[in-house]
Amino acid sequence: MEYLPILVLVLSFVVLLAIGTPVAWSIAISSVLTMLVSIPVLPAFTTVSQRIGTGLDSFALLAIPLFILSGELMNKGGIAHRLIAFAKTLVGALPGGLALINIVSAMLMGAIAGSSMAAASAMGSILGPEMEREGYSREFGAAVNITAATTGLVIPPSNVLIVYSLASGGASIAALFLAGYIPGILTGLFLMIVASFWAKKKGYKVGERSSFKQIFKTFVDALPSLFMLVVVIGGIVVGVFTATEASAIAVLYSLLLGLFYKEISFERLPKILLDSTSTTAIVMLLIGASMSMSWALSYENIPQEISSGLLGISDNKIVILLIINLLLLFVGIFMDMTPAVLIFTPIFLPVVTKLGLDPVHFGIIMVLNLCIGLCTPPVGSVLFVGVGIANTTIEKVIKPLFPLFIAMIIALLLVTYIPQLSLWLPSLFDL
């Protein structure tokens, strides 16, 4: 039966998730079951096991644990406090000042640490109580924090963009990193507009205007942290080092910075290393399992079937991109970002390249799209972190979250249909 592998894959994956099986194991088990449609039991198990192992055998993937470690060091190293102080002097006097501070700080944190979880945790624990003291509702503060934290996955350095580079078969990491800046900043600006209107409507308190002296002082305090951008991204773009080498430099730089700020001590290092190792283990298991599913899909010719099906619906680029965006928004509700990128890139990339879309542009569309899924139940990891830190419930956060979702979707549509928003910066550097 032509559609039996697709049916087995989808049904087994959904059922496994529904009964509470961890995502990584759901992916691996459904991959085995899909392979059993065509080959005997022993080769199916052996092949999936091999693909989990060989899927992790990549020099580029070494950047992920190192960027995770550098993110942990930055989160514990006092960097968040300095970025918040700088953001406060820039936008604190605008309507919804504290909400805007959260968004700007999250964008800066993402541009340095590249972790939505780190940004949501840091900004929520530092700014959440302050927003409540100033009269902001707890739910609005959580909604702003949750959506703003995802901008760090588009603004480089981003682990997900490295994963996409691997899944796409070699899209330039340097080009992807540069391509993420304008879409990430654009998303942040749309979130700021919505947050400002909401705060003005609710009559939330406006902060005092900062003097040039205060702005300059906080900028100088944050400058060593911001210099990480120049070191890491500048080095990759100019070609001084690879993304993997840049991640090692990021670890060393963030460690030295934390020791310089006296926020990190050698006694605290084992706990930081343990936390980053735990996160790395989860991410790597997801990547390995997703690579096995990606191979199973390819073996069963499922990407070709879906590609033919989509192109059979229409050959209009606008229509196809709209369908793919809707499918990815649906996927993001039920699947974490890393496995979604690894599984669906081989499916959708051949379709969009036939329509003349640049793989770098599609990578930004995909990541920006799946960022929305991180803010939605039942699998949205950033949603649960933000709600947990704010000590509230998902039901209460949905109302203030909805207009921020709309802002993210508008940004996604602009990035989807205006390629230069993604491709202009890489083209400046001939990437």
Side-chain angles (χ1 to χ4, degrees):
M1 184 180 172
E2 192 178 354
Y3 295 106
L4 185 59
I6 300 175
L7 198 64
V8 170
L9 180 76
V10 173
L11 282 178
S12 60
F13 183 65
V14 170
V15 169
L16 286 164
L17 282 180
I19 62 175
T21 310
V23 176
W25 296 118
S26 298
I27 292 169
I29 293 167
S30 56
S31 299
V32 171
L33 293 174
T34 305
M35 294 294 292
L36 288 173
V37 173
S38 304
I39 59 176
V41 175
L42 187 59
F45 274 93
T46 306
T47 302
V48 170
S49 302
Q50 284 176 338
R51 291 295 157 181
I52 290 173
T54 55
L56 298 175
D57 186 15
S58 167
F59 181 69
L61 285 180
L62 186 58
I64 292 177
L66 291 169
F67 274 130
I68 288 171
L69 177 55
S70 71
E72 276 296 325
L73 289 165
M74 291 172 199
N75 203 20
K76 303 289 194 301
I79 287 172
H81 290 278
R82 287 162 178 81
L83 294 177
I84 289 170
F86 177 47
K88 191 176 286 189
T89 61
L90 291 177
V91 295
L94 297 173
L98 282 174
L100 304 188
I101 291 163
N102 193 319
I103 295 166
V104 173
S105 301
M107 289 164 69
L108 292 171
M109 188 76 175
I112 294 169
S115 168
S116 58
M117 304 289 277
S121 177
M123 302 309 150
S125 55
I126 296 167
L127 281 170
E130 190 173 341
M131 290 179 79
E132 273 197 79
R133 284 194 297 271
E134 294 293 331
Y136 289 74
S137 76
R138 184 180 295 183
E139 289 70 34
F140 174 67
V144 169
N145 183 38
I146 289 160
T147 49
T150 61
T151 57
L153 295 171
V154 187
I155 300 171
S158 167
N159 289 336
V160 183
L161 289 176
I162 295 170
V163 170
Y164 173 80
S165 172
L166 181 74
S168 66
S172 165
I173 294 175
L176 286 164
F177 276 9
L178 280 178
Y181 275 115
I182 293 175
I185 292 167
L186 184 71
T187 305
L189 287 174
F190 275 110
L191 291 174
M192 289 172 74
I193 291 167
V194 170
S196 192
F197 271 111
W198 183 281
K200 199 169 184 178
K201 182 183 173 185
K202 298 289 182 181
Y204 293 141
K205 187 177 175 181
V206 177
E208 294 180 6
R209 189 176 297 276
S210 300
S211 66
F212 178 77
K213 186 179 178 181
Q214 288 173 309
I215 295 172
F216 183 73
K217 183 183 180 302
T218 56
F219 171 71
V220 170
D221 286 343
L223 190 59
S225 306
L226 296 171
F227 189 65
M228 173 79 80
L229 292 172
V230 180
V231 174
V232 175
I233 307 302
I236 294 171
V237 170
V238 174
V240 176
F241 37 69
T242 64
T244 305
E245 291 161 348
S247 65
I249 290 165
V251 169
L252 181 61
Y253 187 92
S254 52
L255 175 60
L256 293 173
L257 205 57
L259 293 171
F260 173 75
Y261 286 151
K262 296 182 179 176
E263 300 273 356
I264 293 177
S265 62
F266 287 107
E267 289 76 21
R268 293 183 67 192
L269 274 180
K271 175 71 166 59
I272 292 170
L273 290 168
L274 192 63
D275 288 344
S276 64
T277 303
S278 175
T279 305
T280 299
I282 295 166
V283 171
M284 287 304 184
L285 181 59
L286 275 170
I287 290 173
S290 302
M291 293 297 277
S292 73
M293 180 178 276
S294 184
W295 192 90
L297 287 167
S298 179
Y299 181 82
E300 298 291 349
N301 290 320
I302 293 174
Q304 290 84 342
E305 298 281 352
I306 295 173
S307 178
S308 300
L310 281 173
L311 291 172
I313 294 170
S314 172
D315 59 358
N316 186 305
K317 188 190 291 188
I318 294 171
V319 174
I320 293 295
L321 284 174
L322 184 62
I323 292 169
I324 289 173
N325 268 322
L326 289 171
L327 288 170
L328 287 173
L329 284 169
F330 180 74
V331 164
I333 294 171
F334 299 101
M335 190 179 287
D336 201 56
M337 182 177 272
T338 299
V341 167
L342 285 166
I343 292 164
F344 289 95
T345 298
I347 292 174
F348 293 136
L349 188 58
V351 179
V352 296
T353 49
K354 280 182 184 176
L355 296 172
L357 212 71
D358 191 290
V360 170
H361 177 209
F362 182 66
I364 301 301
I365 293 171
M366 185 173 235
V367 171
L368 193 57
N369 189 309
L370 293 170
C371 280
I372 299 169
L374 295 177
C375 310
T376 57
V379 184
S381 52
V382 178
L383 173 68
F384 289 110
V385 169
V387 165
I389 288 170
N391 197 24
T392 183
T393 63
I394 292 171
E395 292 78 10
K396 291 178 180 177
V397 170
I398 289 296
K399 187 178 178 181
L401 203 56
F402 186 73
L404 295 165
F405 275 152
I406 300 299
M408 294 177 80
I409 288 170
I410 292 170
L412 170 64
L413 290 173
L414 286 174
V415 171
T416 300
Y417 295 114
I418 307 175
Q420 285 307 110
L421 289 174
S422 302
L423 300 177
W424 179 64
L425 277 178
S427 68
L428 285 181
F429 292 88
D430 294 322
L431 293 172

